[in-house]
Each structure stands twice: as structure tokens, then as C-alpha cells.
Amino acid sequence: MSQWRGKIHGWYICAFAWSLIACANTETHLDGMDLQAWKEDPHGCKELRAAMIPALGEQRDKLLRLSEMEIISLLGKPDQNELYVRSQQFYRYYLEPAPECDSGKESPKVLVIRFNALGVSNEVSVE
């Protein structure tokens, strides 16, 4: 009977440790960026995102290896979403006013995040 108690006790310790690891705060922070303003500027029409381009350029590596849901939680819904071959996806966020904006540019800067088939970001670029 004491062997079972030891095994059960060990299982509880493992389960508790696993829950601590799983619940750890791994939220990504982007310094120098007002993410609320970012989310309130779809297609970059208000030109709020343009001011964040330097900070984004310095920290874009922080966006690598994040899931689609983590990216959406951080940056909001993408301005464009493209499904590509082999279940890859591309999220596009306009950094400057998109062509459909009143003050839109013909070729605005865009943040492009590519996700692999598992839904994990594996490439981040500003075009």
C-alpha cells in the first residue's frame, strides 16, 4: 500500500510542476510600441503604425516562433490573410496607409508574418 502512495504522491508532484510550466507567463512584449493604438489602426489608415516602424524593426525577431493565436492576441486581426501551398499562411499588417485608405499609398510598407503548417511563425519581414 505504501508503494502506491509514493507513486500517487510522485504523480501529483509531476502534475503540479507541469501545470506551473504550462501556466507560466510567456507573453511577448514589444518595447516602444503602443499595441492598443496598433490594433485601432486597421490598414494603417490613421498612420499610427508608421510611427512604430523603427521599434518593430528592432524587435521583429520576438514575433518568431509564436502561434497564430499569440500573434492575433498581440497585434490583432491581420489586415490580409493568405493561405498558401502546404498549409502555410501569410498575415499582412499595413504599416503605412493601404491603397484603400483616403490617404493611401500605392506601395505602402507591410509587416509580413509567415506561418508554417503547424501554425507557428517562422519568418517575419517588412516589405
Side-chain angles (χ1 to χ4, degrees), residues 30 33 35 37-45 49-50 52-53 56 63 66-82 89-101 108-115 121 123-127:
L30 297 175
M33 292 184 63
L35 295 176
W38 173 282
K39 292 175 185 177
E40 293 172 359
D41 190 15
H43 294 90
C45 294
R49 293 179 180 176
M52 300 180 214
I53 293 173
L56 179 64
L63 300 175
L66 297 179
S67 72
E68 293 176 57
M69 295 310 297
E70 289 171 317
I71 292 290
I72 290 173
S73 175
L74 190 65
L75 301 176
K77 182 180 170 189
D79 297 323
Q80 292 180 341
N81 180 2
E82 178 186 351
Q89 284 196 77
F90 290 86
Y91 282 6
R92 288 183 171 77
Y93 295 90
Y94 284 97
L95 301 174
E96 298 175 327
E100 57 265 23
C101 300
K109 288 186 179 180
V110 180
L111 171 67
V112 180
I113 304 173
R114 183 176 70 141
F115 296 92
S121 61
E123 185 178 330
V124 178
S125 61
V126 175
E127 300 176 355

